[in-house]
Amino acid sequence: MNLILVGPPGSGKGTQGTFLIERYDLERISTGDLLRKAVAERTAVGMKARAYMDNGELVPDHIMVEIVDQKLGALHKGFILDGFPRTIEQARALDRSLTKHGQTIDAVIVLAVNDGVLVHRLTGRRVCDQCGENFHITTKPPREDGKCDQCGGDIRQRSDDKEGVIRDRITVYHHQTKPIIDFYRASGILHLIDGERAANEIFSDIARKLETA
Ligand code: AP5
C-alpha cells in the first residue's frame, strides 16, 4: 500500500503516520524529518533549507523533488509520503517519479483541522531531541520538566514552532498546498478526514476508509 498524507502544520500527519506504518508495515518518507536531519548534520541541503524552514516557507521544489525521487528509488516495501507533495509542481514531479519507479498511489489522506486548533497544538508542542517523542505543555506534559518520559532525552520546542512562524506556515499551506487537494480529487483516491477528533478515533476512521476502498 502506498499513501500520501496531506494536512496543515499540526494536523497530525506525523501522529497518524506512526499508526499507519505500524498497522500496514510501511516505510515513512517524511520530508520535514529528512530536512531537519540534514540541518542537524549541516549537509549542503540542510544549509540551504534552514532559512526557509525557520521562516515558515517552503524549501524550493527542485530540492524536494530530488530528495523524494532518491528515496522512492531505494524502497523495499509500501510507503507513506508525509509532507510531500506540498505544491502542484511537486505533485506533477511525483507523478513522473512514480512512473519512473513503477509505483502508484493507493490513497491520498487529507487531515482537516481549523487554524486556531493548529496554533494551540503547535505553540504547546515539545519534541524529544533523541527519540522524537511529542509532548504538549498542557495536554501532554512530560513527567519531569524538560525530560522525555520514554528515553530521558532533552525535550525542546522546534525552531519553527514559534507563534509567528506557525501562522506563516498555515498561510503557506492555504495558498500553496491546498490546491493539491483538487489535483488529486479527480483520481478517486482522495479521503477527507476530520482531524479534530481524538488521535485514535481519527486513525480508526482512516483504517476503515483504506480497508473498504
Ligand atoms: P514538516 O516537518 O512536514 O512540518 P509540518 O507540515 O508543519 O507539520 P508538523 O510536523 O508541524 O505537524 P504534523 O501535521 O506532522 O502534526 P503532528 O502529528 O506532529 O515540515 C517542516 C518544514 O519543512 C516546512 O515548513 C517546510 O519549510 C519544510 N518542508 C517539509 N516538506 C516540504 C516540502 N515537501 N516542500 C517544501 N518544504 C518542505 O502533531 C502536531 C501536534 O499535535 C503534536 O504535539 C501532537 O501530539 C498533537 N496532535 C496530533 N494529533 C492530535 C489530535 N488528534 N488531537 C490532539 N493533539 C494532536
Side-chain angles (χ1 to χ4, degrees):
M1 184 188 301
N2 299 330
L3 308 174
I4 295 175
L5 267 178
V6 180
S11 57
K13 299 183 296 296
T15 304
Q16 296 303 322
T18 300
F19 293 145
L20 286 160
I21 56 175
E22 279 172 22
R23 167 76 69 93
Y24 300 108
D25 187 26
L26 303 174
E27 209 160 302
R28 184 198 325 239
I29 302 174
S30 159
T31 44
D33 286 350
L34 290 169
L35 289 170
R36 276 183 290 279
K37 184 164 181 279
V39 169
E41 292 172 354
R42 297 173 172 270
T43 66
V45 165
M47 305 300 267
K48 281 187 205 146
R50 183 177 190 154
Y52 294 102
M53 297 172 78
D54 284 349
N55 288 327
E57 296 165 17
L58 295 184
V59 175
D61 288 336
H62 69 275
I63 297 178
M64 303 314 302
V65 164
E66 190 178 333
I67 292 175
V68 172
D69 183 62
Q70 281 177 9
K71 287 280 166 195
L72 287 175
L75 285 172
H76 301 291
K77 53 184 178 182
F79 60 85
I80 298 183
L81 282 168
D82 165 354
F84 185 95
R86 256 173 152 104
T87 63
I88 291 282
E89 183 48 41
Q90 291 182 16
R92 292 197 181 113
L94 175 62
D95 276 355
R96 293 193 292 274
S97 205
L98 290 166
T99 304
K100 180 170 108 184
H101 297 297
Q103 301 269 23
T104 52
I105 297 294
D106 300 293
V108 178
I109 296 156
V110 181
L111 297 169
V113 178
N114 281 317
D115 294 358
V117 175
L118 299 173
V119 173
H120 172 77
R121 285 186 188 175
L122 293 182
T123 47
R125 175 169 63 179
R126 301 292 182 271
V127 183
C128 174
D129 260 358
Q130 283 177 36
C131 71
E133 180 73 9
N134 268 331
F135 297 88
H136 189 281
I137 51 173
T138 53
T139 57
K140 191 189 166 194
R143 282 193 295 271
E144 187 188 339
D145 205 23
K147 292 285 170 200
C148 176
D149 294 353
Q150 305 294 328
C151 73
D154 291 332
I155 61 170
R156 298 185 203 282
Q157 188 171 36
R158 254 170 59 173
S159 61
D160 59 351
D161 275 351
K162 308 278 181 344
E163 183 164 345
V165 182
I166 291 167
R167 291 191 185 279
D168 290 342
R169 288 158 60 201
I170 294 171
T171 302
V172 164
Y173 175 79
H174 288 303
H175 290 141
Q176 298 190 55
T177 304
K178 252 186 167 173
I180 71 170
I181 297 174
D182 281 332
F183 179 90
Y184 287 113
R185 201 180 295 277
S187 63
I189 56 170
L190 190 72
H191 301 284
L192 297 176
I193 304 286
D194 170 4
E196 286 192 23
R197 297 165 291 168
N200 58 354
E201 205 182 313
I202 297 167
F203 177 62
S204 301
D205 190 11
I206 295 172
R208 199 169 39 248
K209 289 199 160 75
L210 292 176
E211 288 165 22
T212 55

